[in-house]
Amino acid sequence: MNAKVLFDYLLEGFYILSGIIMLITVYFVAKDSKNKDRITTAIFWGILGVIFIFGKIIPPALVGGAIVIMGILTLLNKVKPGNTAAMDEKFKEEQAKKIGSKIFIPSVTLAIVAFVFAQATFKLSGVSGQVAIGVSALAAVIIALVITKANPSYIAKDGDRLLRQVGPASILPQLLAALGSLFTAAGVGDIIAKGISSAIPQGNIWAGIIAYCLGMAVFTIIMGNGFAAFAVITAGIGIPFVFELGANPAVAGALALTAGFCGTLLTPMAANFNVVPAALLETKNKNRVIMSQAPIALIMLVIHIFLMYFLAF
């Protein structure tokens, strides 16, 4: 068995493991008699779990139909977190004092193992980066259990709690990545270029740069994914209005991408960055993270415009 096949199996195993976690959530939701929408909530997580486990063999059209059903349930606000297993506050304070800063070791492990694994296996398989995330997550979980001496059953309970707190937004990264590919294939970049060409003076470097940076930020706000926005906005604005005027593609492209990341800080569509932390911190305002990031994001966006002008030309 070569490395590519092995990594494909590992990646599929991680998808199946994710699906099992979702089916565990179905079990806990079904038991939650206080959740009046427990049936529709269980259906949502059940569908998603089945897709993660059997998605490779389910016909694409059937998966698409299932996702539409999930979207309808979300639109009708029929996916509710309900009552999750809450940890006693006194116990949490005692454990925090006992464990102290060691609690950050699993997080650091996650980053280090993912980086080392991806670098060591990069030439072996095109999916090594994705597998690295799964391997590092398993390593972090094991270390967390060792440090906290917690019962392994808490993996299922806390996994259920976090998944329900984040809710349907947890699948946004996958959907938005697919949307970016769809937009590119549909020629959205060409449509944007035609619309922008009537508003931007030809040959005006400042106008092109502003449109490029703002376009990246706005499209990232809409899509929640700077990488997906990059392909569309670079094709529609970057190439005709910035690169063709003499900009260094490497410098301008890098700055455009990070300008898009300014938009990431401003949108709930970027669930991993802005919704998940709010859920973990249990903030009263779900947009608290975005509100805190907004001033810096806007300042950095303006700085990007000037950097692109002075560094790319």
Side-chain angles (χ1 to χ4, degrees), residues 238-256:
I239 293 175
F241 300 107
V242 177
F243 294 171
E244 289 189 1
L245 296 182
N248 183 318
V251 176
L255 287 171

Side-chain angles (χ1 to χ4, degrees), residues 57-308:
I57 60 176
I58 299 176
L62 191 58
V63 172
I67 291 174
V68 170
I69 293 174
M70 292 166 60
I72 292 172
L73 292 176
T74 304
L75 181 65
L76 297 176
N77 198 27
K78 291 296 182 179
V79 183
K80 301 288 182 62
N83 297 301
T84 56
M87 190 178 294
D88 182 70
E89 289 296 328
K90 184 179 179 181
F91 176 75
K92 284 199 294 187
E93 291 178 6
E94 291 175 352
Q95 290 299 303
K97 292 177 181 178
K98 180 181 178 181
I99 298 172
S101 58
K102 288 189 292 184
I103 195 64
F104 294 106
I105 294 177
S107 299
V108 176
T109 300
L110 186 75
I112 293 175
V113 173
F115 177 78
V116 172
F117 188 94
Q119 291 299 311
T121 60
F122 178 74
K123 294 181 179 180
L124 299 178
S125 170
V127 298
S128 62
Q130 295 167 294
V131 175
I133 295 173
V135 171
S136 62
L138 285 178
V141 167
I142 293 171
I143 290 176
L145 289 175
V146 171
I147 292 174
T148 61
K149 297 180 175 60
N151 190 311
S153 65
Y154 279 105
I155 296 175
K157 292 178 181 177
D158 259 15
D160 164 62
R161 179 178 61 83
L162 292 176
L163 194 57
R164 281 202 267 170
Q165 280 184 336
V166 177
S170 60
I171 64 171
L172 273 177
Q174 294 94 328
L175 295 179
L176 292 172
L179 183 62
S181 300
L182 179 63
F183 277 11
T184 302
V188 174
D190 295 333
I191 296 174
I192 291 175
K194 291 178 182 178
I196 292 294
S197 61
S198 61
I200 298 179
Q202 290 291 335
N204 190 314
I205 294 176
W206 274 110
I209 290 173
I210 292 172
Y212 194 17
C213 290
L214 288 181
M216 276 297 303
V218 171
F219 217 68
T220 300
I221 289 172
I222 295 171
M223 300 184 67
N225 189 317
F227 293 101
F230 182 74
V232 176
I233 298 301
T234 297
I237 300 177
I239 293 175
F241 300 107
V242 177
F243 294 171
E244 289 189 1
L245 296 182
N248 183 318
V251 176
L255 287 171
L257 186 58
T258 50
F261 295 158
C262 294
T264 301
L265 300 175
L266 298 170
T267 177
M269 298 294 282
N272 287 0
F273 301 100
N274 303 328
V275 176
V276 173
L280 293 176
L281 295 171
E282 298 180 359
T283 58
K284 292 182 180 179
N285 189 331
K286 293 182 179 180
N287 294 316
R288 180 68 261 175
V289 173
I290 296 174
M291 292 167 63
S292 299
Q293 294 172 165
I296 298 299
L298 295 174
I299 291 171
M300 289 304 299
L301 183 57
V302 174
I303 291 174
H304 271 76
I305 293 172
F306 286 96
L307 286 176
M308 188 176 293

